[in-house]
């Protein structure tokens, strides 16, 4: 029998638990040339700000053992261009549409979510964890008091359910998860990237123009699993887990740790067909294990 892969996040249906992670699929057009976008349960779109941003200087990507560093700097066309040029094609697709919202100030982020009211966006992911910008980004997401206040202010302007994307570059992920929940978050996504750097030993320079960047990929999976597990014990809102998911079995590990759905990012950069492959692997693994419904696995880790 085919296992049931469908689930919901804050009442929004997902036909399967795989969501393309923000920043790895632009606004969806990149994947659409390889396979139907509807393959994914959801799409978290590139971090969008009130005004267009050009992003950081190049080089802004570096390969690392078992992962990659990025320092994109939230390059995006701004919310008005997104609404005009990107959302209409996404609105035709059977997929959960998640807007990833970032900003230099809390007021900017609130203004962006206000512009998303009444649109085809189903969920909003508040990015208070980007390590690659001078103002905003991770600066809002480190200290629990700031996580709570930022979440509360943005939530007040928000019509759709609000997912807060947490940074792993913190002392205690459980404390920050609780802070976001107190601020009114409807769900959490974690983890964003870990701050890292790469060095060219011949040139004696950093490889990234901005010196540091965010590390993603399988190298961070054990950290991500630990943080999802700790956050799941700390809050009662749903979690979306991410960090180095490359296979169907990885998805199951995140579900067992307490995630209700997962985001897949770096895997698609290494292999554009990773999304459909991981989905097929997940389905076979559940069938082999006799799991009729993937929701049975959420938080089912036996410790
Ligand atoms: C970036 O645009 O620099 C990456 C976004 C993020 O890490 O949240």
């Amino acid at each position: 029998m085919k296992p049931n892969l469908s689930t919901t996040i804050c009442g929004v249906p997902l036909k399967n638990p795989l969501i393309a992670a923000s920043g790895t699929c632009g606004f969806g057009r990149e994947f659409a040339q390889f396979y139907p976008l509807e393959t994914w349960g959801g799409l978290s779109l590139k971090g969008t700000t009130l005004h267009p941003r050009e992003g950081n200087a190049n080089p802004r990507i570096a390969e690392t053992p078992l992962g990659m560093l990025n320092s994109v700097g939230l390059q995006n066309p701004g919310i008005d261009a997104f609404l005009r040029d990107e959302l209409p094609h996404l609105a035709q697709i059977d997929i959960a549409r998640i807007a990833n919202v970032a900003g230099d100030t809390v007021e900017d982020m609130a203004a962006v979510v206000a512009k998303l009211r009444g649109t085809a966006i189903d969920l909003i992911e508040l990015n208070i964890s980007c390590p690659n910008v001078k103002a905003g980004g991770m600066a809002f997401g480190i200290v629990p008091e700031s996580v709570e206040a930022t979440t509360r202010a943005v939530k007040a302007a928000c019509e759709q359910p609000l997912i807060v994307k947490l940074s792993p570059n913190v002392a205690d992920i459980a404390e920050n998860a609780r802070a976001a929940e107190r601020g009114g978050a409807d769900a959490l996504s974690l983890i964003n990237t870990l701050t890292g750097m790469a060095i060219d030993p011949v040139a004696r320079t950093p490889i990234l123009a901005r010196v540091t960047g965010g590390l993603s990929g399988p190298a961070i999976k054990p950290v991500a699993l630990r943080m999802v597990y700790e956050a799941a014990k700390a809050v009662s809102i749903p979690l979306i887990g991410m960090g180095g998911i490359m296979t169907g079995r990885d998805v199951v590990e995140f579900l067992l740790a307490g995630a209700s759905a997962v985001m897949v990012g770096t895997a698609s950069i290494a292999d554009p067909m990773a999304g459909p492959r991981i989905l097929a692997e997940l389905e076979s693994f559940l069938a082999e294990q006799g799991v009729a419904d993937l929701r049975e696995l959420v938080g089912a880790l036996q410790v």
Side-chain angles (χ1 to χ4, degrees):
M1 204 180 63
K2 259 175 157 314
N4 174 36
L5 297 182
S6 69
T7 189
T8 59
I9 291 287
C10 307
V12 174
L14 300 182
K15 66 177 95 63
N16 68 61
L18 302 192
I19 301 169
S22 177
T24 61
C25 58
F27 296 106
R29 294 184 199 273
E30 284 83 349
F31 283 151
Q33 54 188 302
F34 295 102
Y35 54 83
L37 263 183
E38 291 89 334
T39 307
W40 294 95
L43 212 54
S44 181
L45 305 163
K46 178 60 190 163
T48 302
T49 49
L50 190 55
H51 303 294
R53 291 177 63 102
E54 285 189 357
N56 296 335
N58 280 306
R60 50 192 195 179
I61 299 284
E63 264 191 69
T64 65
L66 293 180
M68 61 176 275
L69 286 160
N70 92 80
S71 172
V72 173
L74 294 173
Q75 179 185 349
N76 79 95
I79 185 66
D80 292 334
F82 165 71
L83 291 172
R84 187 186 62 232
D85 303 333
E86 304 291 349
L87 193 52
H89 85 90
L90 292 166
Q92 310 303 316
I93 294 169
D94 174 24
I95 199 163
R97 290 166 285 271
I98 306 175
N100 181 290
V101 170
D104 289 355
T105 64
V106 175
E107 292 72 27
D108 277 11
M109 291 187 275
V112 175
V113 302
K115 281 178 181 265
L116 291 166
R117 288 165 166 269
T119 68
I121 288 296
D122 300 299
L123 294 156
I124 292 177
E125 183 177 47
L126 178 64
N127 187 350
I128 52 169
S129 46
C130 173
N132 305 326
V133 288
K134 220 186 295 166
M138 200 169 85
F140 293 117
I142 300 302
V143 177
E145 291 73 19
S146 164
V147 172
E148 181 175 344
T150 307
T151 305
R152 182 165 288 119
V154 175
K155 174 72 184 168
C158 197
E159 181 184 82
Q160 292 89 342
L162 185 67
I163 304 163
V164 174
K165 187 168 186 177
L166 297 180
S167 172
N169 302 300
V170 298
D172 182 352
I173 195 74
E175 205 182 322
N176 283 20
R178 277 192 291 268
E181 187 179 44
R182 276 197 306 276
D186 299 294
L188 303 175
S189 60
L190 68 164
I191 59 173
N192 205 327
T193 53
L194 280 156
T195 310
M197 69 186 287
I199 290 176
D200 180 335
V202 176
R204 302 186 183 184
T205 57
I207 290 176
L208 297 172
R210 199 172 173 270
V211 181
T212 61
L215 179 65
S216 62
I220 72 166
K221 194 185 90 175
V223 177
L225 279 173
R226 188 265 294 176
M227 290 194 165
V228 168
Y229 175 68
E230 289 180 355
K233 287 197 291 181
V235 297
S236 53
I237 51 180
L239 306 184
I240 302 172
M242 83 195 91
I245 292 175
M246 304 297 280
T247 67
R249 289 174 78 110
D250 292 342
V251 176
V252 173
E253 292 174 28
F254 275 85
L255 298 175
L256 291 170
S260 296
V262 298
M263 291 182 173
V264 175
T266 305
S268 297
I269 293 175
D271 169 13
M273 295 304 289
R277 174 184 53 75
I278 294 171
L279 184 60
E281 289 171 1
L282 175 65
E283 189 163 354
S284 318
F285 185 80
L286 297 192
E288 274 161 39
Q289 298 288 314
V291 177
D293 189 319
L294 76 80
R295 289 170 295 187
E296 291 167 31
L297 298 173
V298 176
L301 187 70
Q302 294 170 22
V303 183

